[in-house]
Amino acid sequence: MILDANDTHATARLTVHKTVPGTAEYHDIMAIRTSRSSGHHAGDSGDASADHYLAVVDGRPLACMRVQQARRGRLDCEEHYPAAFVASFRGLIGSASRLVRRADAKACPDVMRRFVAAVWRDQYRDGIRVDLINVHVPMVPYYETMGYELVAGSAFVHPRLQTSSMVMAMLAEPSVRSSLRTAFEGGHDPELMQALRANLFGNGVSAQRESA
């Protein structure tokens, strides 16, 4: 499946492919992951049930990302996510990971923003309303610019990568200031968003970033 990821002001032509393991696109995804890490860390058991996305610019694979949906099974690092929240809203929870740009590619923030927005537009249409992720501590500011918020008391050491990590969440709220808010237009349910926020953050306000 090819997703729409372009706008009238785009300077680079971006094509986003949604795919599954065993395809040519998935092979390209694994090559991108391997360019940034050892082959041992390129894939894991979560790949089998996840949605996989490949960004292609000017005919060349540039970046990849995957999204697990909690309704399909256990999420990567789910033991570190708020258990009561996951149990109550499993059918609405996605968990994005493996956002990787090819190692030899130049930084391209606009293309990456459009890529991630296309992924979340697709997930939103599939019923996902919140993204729960685990983030390596140095990457927290980057995810904050996209609208992710820290979950209080969520610091942990990633069991596979052994990195200092934190849990972050993004709610599908088009009214919130975020570079991804246009992905959540249409079908907005303010009461559902209020319930998600109250259950995830308690007082409705996300945690301040803990010092690394």
Side-chain angles (χ1 to χ4, degrees), residues 95-202:
S95 185
S97 61
R98 303 305 181 97
L99 175 59
V100 183
R101 187 182 77 246
R102 201 180 68 244
D104 63 347
K106 294 181 180 179
C108 41
D110 176 65
V111 172
M112 294 299 288
R113 177 193 62 78
R114 287 191 283 131
F115 174 44
V116 175
V119 169
W120 280 107
R121 189 174 298 111
D122 182 61
Q123 289 292 315
Y124 186 76
R125 290 169 178 167
D126 199 25
I128 298 302
R129 293 297 181 267
V130 58
D131 186 26
L132 274 179
I133 61 174
N134 57 86
V135 178
H136 186 198
V137 168
M139 293 298 294
V140 166
Y142 173 74
Y143 281 93
E144 286 179 326
T145 67
M146 290 195 291
Y148 286 83
E149 304 170 68
L150 283 165
V151 175
S154 63
F156 71 101
V157 176
H158 194 287
R160 184 179 71 256
L161 304 177
Q162 293 301 299
T163 54
S164 296
S165 302
M166 302 189 74
V167 178
M168 301 189 78
M170 178 180 65
L171 303 183
E173 297 176 303
S175 59
V176 172
R177 294 183 62 184
S178 163
S179 62
L180 300 180
R181 63 182 180 274
T182 58
F184 308 130
E185 294 174 346
H188 181 52
D189 185 340
E191 291 187 4
L192 175 60
M193 290 299 104
Q194 184 177 8
L196 290 171
R197 181 168 289 280
N199 279 270
L200 186 56
F201 299 120

